[in-house]
Amino acid sequence: RLRKLNQKVYTPEQVTLYCRGCGAFVCKGQDLRVIENSHHAVLDRSIWKRVVVKIHEAKGKELPKGALKMEKRISCKKCRYQSWGISCIFPNSCDLELPVLKCKYLIFEYYNPLIGIGTTSMPHSKWTQALFEVEDYDSTKYNLGKYILSSE
């Protein structure tokens, strides 16, 4: 019933994302930000330790939306199951390179504070099905030195 109503009943702090292939940790919900109203990017630079990076077929091509550049495909370092997403360069954010996740290859684990120990895990095919709200990216709010400037 919650999925049909699309209620956002969890906070980002109550959500953890895992690889759908092997269950490896991907990131926490609070590490995600929405860029340009659709791209779910991970700000935590430690994600680069958990991914395999390959050059994207469309490297450097501009998308119809504007100057977003797809650079590399990222997938799980442990099992290499599908592609978790791509790294993109966002020119409007000081040419910041961030990993952008596709939710259909992830498992969302929701911590239920009422139970205290129980969790609910589920896949989602679209970000709109997620049961938590992802904060918008605000380039003036973040210290870029703390977050990802490069995958190297």
Side-chain angles (χ1 to χ4, degrees):
R1 182 171 168 98
L2 286 176
R3 292 176 85 183
K4 288 181 181 177
L5 296 175
N6 199 24
Q7 293 178 354
K8 308 297 183 188
V9 295
Y10 295 93
T11 65
E13 293 77 18
Q14 296 171 313
V15 181
T16 306
L17 280 68
Y18 296 96
C19 174
R20 194 168 182 175
C22 69
F25 172 75
V26 176
C27 69
K28 300 290 246 165
Q30 70 248 28
D31 297 331
L32 294 168
R33 294 294 179 273
V34 177
I35 299 177
E36 297 178 359
N37 297 316
S38 64
H39 308 293
H40 290 74
V42 181
L43 296 184
D44 177 19
R45 77 173 90 188
S46 71
I47 192 170
W48 294 113
K49 297 175 186 175
R50 298 184 292 277
V51 298
V52 173
V53 179
K54 294 182 181 177
I55 299 299
H56 194 278
E57 304 83 42
K59 181 181 178 354
K61 290 185 181 178
E62 290 188 7
L63 296 177
K65 282 188 170 184
L68 171 76
K69 294 178 185 169
M70 297 182 290
E71 289 294 306
K72 303 165 189 116
R73 287 187 314 166
I74 59 172
S75 56
C76 180
K77 191 174 197 174
K78 187 175 176 184
C79 73
R80 300 177 193 260
Y81 175 77
Q82 293 295 328
S83 172
W84 282 354
I86 57 175
S87 72
C88 294
I89 292 181
F90 296 91
N92 295 338
S93 298
C94 304
D95 288 336
L96 186 62
E97 181 179 4
L98 293 171
V100 175
L101 300 177
K102 291 187 228 175
C103 69
K104 71 180 186 175
Y105 300 118
L106 305 172
I107 294 292
F108 291 71
E109 183 178 84
Y110 299 100
Y111 173 74
N112 187 338
L114 298 176
I115 298 172
I117 57 170
T119 58
T120 302
S121 298
M122 61 182 68
H124 297 298
S125 58
K126 297 179 183 179
W127 280 102
T128 56
Q129 296 172 337
L131 302 178
F132 72 108
E133 197 70 43
V134 178
E135 185 180 328
D136 286 336
Y137 177 77
D138 178 359
S139 61
T140 62
K141 187 175 178 181
Y142 300 103
N143 173 4
L144 296 182
K146 183 180 175 186
Y147 297 101
I148 304 168
L149 294 176
S150 171
S151 61
E152 299 178 32

